[in-house]
């Protein structure tokens, strides 16, 4: 007794895949447009585009769609085309270099360097505001824009605590919060021994950077193993399709397409799990805004300083 030919199931299977694709696009649009930007309508489209993941806004999507169509045309398997398109979009991000981690390390290095610059300037008997203004001209690239904005607020006459609070919100970084918390205490209470405190904070940030670098080095071998497994699987599948197509005839049926979808789903779950366990969870911020910041004024910030921050 032969299996059901795919031709008899093409219409309902195509309708099912089309409905799933439409539902996914609808959810994507709804999620991106859920919180529109207040103001003119001209800004709504820009806000919508920004909320779409970067992987879905570049030429990679066009190439993925073309690859999926080519696979469907060569094999007659719509599920294979869908899996190839999804893999072409997601696998470079999951298996490629972790650029986000590299940027995070560079930013933490810049925070540590900026903190050491403030420490050295304060040690030369300069005031806190003068030290911040002097550091703005030679700030590291990773924090230069935010530090220059802080210097601009100080020159404009904004009170130093309010300028530091706005600086913390622009940085939006737990490591920067520890530094700003110390600066806020000095600006409000004239705390002594600020230079040694900044030195300790800079050393702590550098220790975090070194720890993340060790973790990244340990994960490099695991990423290489996963890349080898993926390349082997793709090469094996491509070789069977091109050189031994009769061996894959069971996938021509509807049941075969369901089995292929299940196998692809298992791969997707495993890659998602690998990505989740490889992510480093950031520590919670120490400076938490009490209310959403108004458009024309600096935010009000509630300072929650842990014992590790105030420890000399």
């Amino acid at each position: 007794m032969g299996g059901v030919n795919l031709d008899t199931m093409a219409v309902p299977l195509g309708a099912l895949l089309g409905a799933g694709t439409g539902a996914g696009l609808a959810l994507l649009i709804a999620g991106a447009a859920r919180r529109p930007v207040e103001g003119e309508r001209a800004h709504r489209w820009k806000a919508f585009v920004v909320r779409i993941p970067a992987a879905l806004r570049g030429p990679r999507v066009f190439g993925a769609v073309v690859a999926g169509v080519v696979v469907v045309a060569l094999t007659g398997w719509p599920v294979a085309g869908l899996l190839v398109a999804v893999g072409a979009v997601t696998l470079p991000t999951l298996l490629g270099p972790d650029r986000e981690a590299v940027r995070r390390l560079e930013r933490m290095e810049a925070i540590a360097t900026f903190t050491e610059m403030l420490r050295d300037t304060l040690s030369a008997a300069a005031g806190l505001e003068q030290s911040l203004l002097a550091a703005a001209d030679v700030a590291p690239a990773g924090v230069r824009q935010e530090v220059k904005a802080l210097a601009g607020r100080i020159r404009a006459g904004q009170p130093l605590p309010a300028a530091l609070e706005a600086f913390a919100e622009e940085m939006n970084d737990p490591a920067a919060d520890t530094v700003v918390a110390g600066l806020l205490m000095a600006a409000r209470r004239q705390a002594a021994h600020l230079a040694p405190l900044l030195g300790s904070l800079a050393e702590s940030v550098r220790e975090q950077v070194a720890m993340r670098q060790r973790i990244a080095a340990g994960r490099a071998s695991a990423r290489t193993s996963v890349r080898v497994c993926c390349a082997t699987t793709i090469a094996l599948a491509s070789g069977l399709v091109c050189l031994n197509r009769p061996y894959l005839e069971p996938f021509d049926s509807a049941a075969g397409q369901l089995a292929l979808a299940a196998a692809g789903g298992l791969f997707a779950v495993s890659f998602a799990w690998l990505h989740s366990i490889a992510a480093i969870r950031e520590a919670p911020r120490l400076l938490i805004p009490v209310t959403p910041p108004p458009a024309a004024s600096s935010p009000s910030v509630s300072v929650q300083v842990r014992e590790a921050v105030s420890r000399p």
Side-chain angles (χ1 to χ4, degrees), residues 93-310:
T93 301
L94 294 176
L95 302 180
D98 195 350
R99 295 183 177 86
E100 183 61 30
V102 173
R103 285 192 293 267
R104 177 69 180 132
L105 288 176
E106 292 176 350
R107 189 169 179 84
M108 293 180 70
E109 286 276 9
I111 292 172
T113 303
F114 173 67
T115 305
E116 292 168 346
M117 293 169 56
L118 286 179
R119 176 202 61 191
D120 297 339
T121 308
L122 287 169
S123 299
L128 180 54
E129 290 190 4
Q130 290 76 13
S131 299
L132 291 170
L133 293 175
D137 297 329
V138 291
V143 296
R144 185 173 301 159
Q145 181 178 355
E146 293 83 357
V147 174
K148 286 188 174 181
L150 171 62
R153 295 188 188 95
I154 295 175
R155 292 190 179 97
Q158 187 175 13
L160 183 56
L164 289 172
E165 291 170 356
F167 173 69
E169 286 306 297
E170 289 180 350
M171 291 293 294
N172 191 26
D173 190 288
D177 280 354
T178 60
V179 177
V180 176
L183 297 177
L184 281 172
M185 288 190 298
R188 290 170 175 167
R189 304 176 185 177
Q190 298 298 324
H193 309 295
L194 178 58
L197 173 61
L198 293 177
S200 300
L201 293 176
E203 183 180 356
S204 175
V205 174
R206 292 200 181 278
E207 289 177 354
Q208 294 181 38
V209 171
M211 178 191 66
R212 288 171 180 257
Q213 289 175 339
R214 290 193 298 268
I215 293 174
R219 290 174 176 170
S221 59
R223 280 181 173 266
T224 302
S225 300
V226 174
R227 293 190 190 104
V228 171
C229 291
C230 286
T232 303
T233 302
I234 294 173
L236 178 61
S238 302
L240 287 175
V241 170
C242 297
L243 304 177
N244 194 7
R245 183 58 188 274
Y247 182 78
L248 301 177
E249 284 183 357
F251 289 106
D252 292 338
S253 65
Q257 289 295 285
L258 293 177
L260 184 60
L266 291 176
F267 267 95
V269 170
S270 63
F271 284 129
W273 176 72
L274 179 66
H275 181 69
S276 64
I277 64 175
I280 299 178
R281 294 184 180 180
E282 297 291 343
R285 290 191 56 191
L286 300 178
L287 305 181
I288 305 173
V290 177
T291 56
S297 63
S298 62
S300 175
V301 177
S302 172
V303 181
Q304 299 181 358
V305 185
R306 297 184 174 180
E307 295 181 359
V309 179
S310 59

Side-chain angles (χ1 to χ4, degrees), residues 2-10 252-254:
V4 180
N5 191 280
L6 185 63
D7 294 338
T8 62
M9 300 293 295
D252 292 338
S253 65

